[in-house]
Amino acid sequence: MGKTKRQRKNKKFRYNVNRKRVGKNRKNTGTAAVGVPIVKKAWEEHKSIKENLSNMGLSYDPNATLKIPTSKELLEPVFSEDKRENTSDIELLAPIKAHVAEELEAEAKAPRVKKFELPKGQVMYLSYLIDKYGDDFKAMARDSKNIYQETWKQIRSKIRTFQNIPSQWDAYLESRSDAQKT
């Protein structure tokens, strides 16, 4: 008796799958897959992902945690008596490792250092324009080195961005003052 189409379909060899990489990924599951050091330290290997996250006070499925009411639920009265009774029966369990969620929240609220810098070629181009034209942005737009045909407003915004990056702007001012001394 012949096989069904579904059985034959599953037997096809998938050439585009790297079996060596798939095998390594299967071996390296667990804490190796967790990228956040705070969570990795509190992770327990013998528990499931869902259990680990709920113990830490984190959500496995945000759609289940923060339910968006349907239009039918929106039409129902919010403070009905039977709903009040149901909510009092539900006891919210405090997470065992609540410190993990607190540490993650503190890390998220911490101020970040801006690491934005313009490319070296763009800094050289903008410094050339500033040295040659000063504050005349319309003349900068007509310069022959303006190969991307940027408008004067685009050039002005790039120069303002350049001036708002202290490390690059200070280096430009130092090189300019050194050039004037000699």
Side-chain angles (χ1 to χ4, degrees):
M1 183 173 205
K3 295 184 178 181
T4 63
K5 189 175 184 180
R6 181 180 285 168
Q7 287 174 326
R8 275 184 271 121
K9 184 179 179 186
N10 291 340
K11 298 284 184 178
K12 288 183 181 175
F13 187 79
R14 295 181 301 163
Y15 291 95
N16 60 342
V17 175
N18 185 344
R19 289 187 174 33
K20 190 174 185 180
R21 189 181 321 129
V22 170
K24 282 182 181 179
N25 287 343
R26 282 190 185 148
K27 283 183 198 173
N28 295 335
T29 56
T31 55
V34 179
V36 183
I38 299 168
V39 176
K40 194 172 188 174
K41 194 181 346 174
W43 197 267
E44 295 181 34
E45 286 289 330
H46 63 279
K47 290 188 178 178
S48 69
I49 297 171
K50 199 170 189 177
E51 279 182 287
N52 270 310
L53 291 177
S54 63
N55 286 346
M56 293 179 208
L58 303 174
S59 175
Y60 177 74
D61 183 13
N63 294 326
T65 307
L66 303 170
K67 291 184 180 177
I68 299 173
T70 61
S71 57
K72 188 175 182 181
E73 292 171 347
L74 288 172
L75 294 174
E76 293 176 4
V78 178
F79 295 107
S80 65
E81 292 179 23
D82 42 303
K83 287 217 176 193
R84 283 187 199 163
E85 293 171 7
N86 291 342
T87 55
S88 63
D89 294 339
I90 299 171
E91 294 179 22
L92 295 174
L93 299 173
I96 298 167
K97 301 175 184 177
H99 65 90
V100 175
E102 292 166 4
E103 288 177 34
L104 287 172
E105 194 172 330
E107 185 181 318
K109 286 182 180 179
R112 301 277 187 246
V113 178
K114 292 183 181 177
K115 296 180 182 177
F116 176 74
E117 286 191 349
L118 292 173
K120 187 178 178 182
Q122 197 166 20
V123 170
M124 290 173 58
Y125 169 67
L126 294 174
S127 59
Y128 158 78
L129 291 176
I130 294 169
D131 289 341
K132 188 169 182 180
Y133 299 106
D135 290 336
D136 190 6
F137 300 112
K138 292 186 179 179
M140 291 178 191
R142 292 189 302 269
D143 190 82
S144 61
K145 286 194 177 181
N146 184 9
I147 57 172
Y148 296 112
Q149 298 183 352
E150 296 168 332
T151 64
W152 67 271
K153 287 187 178 182
Q154 290 171 324
I155 293 172
R156 181 185 65 186
S157 69
K158 285 187 180 184
I159 289 175
R160 286 184 179 164
T161 305
F162 176 47
Q163 291 171 342
N164 289 332
I165 302 171
S167 60
Q168 291 181 323
W169 182 247
D170 293 342
Y172 164 73
L173 291 177
E174 280 183 29
S175 67
R176 195 171 183 196
S177 64
D178 290 343
Q180 288 177 354
K181 287 180 184 176
T182 57

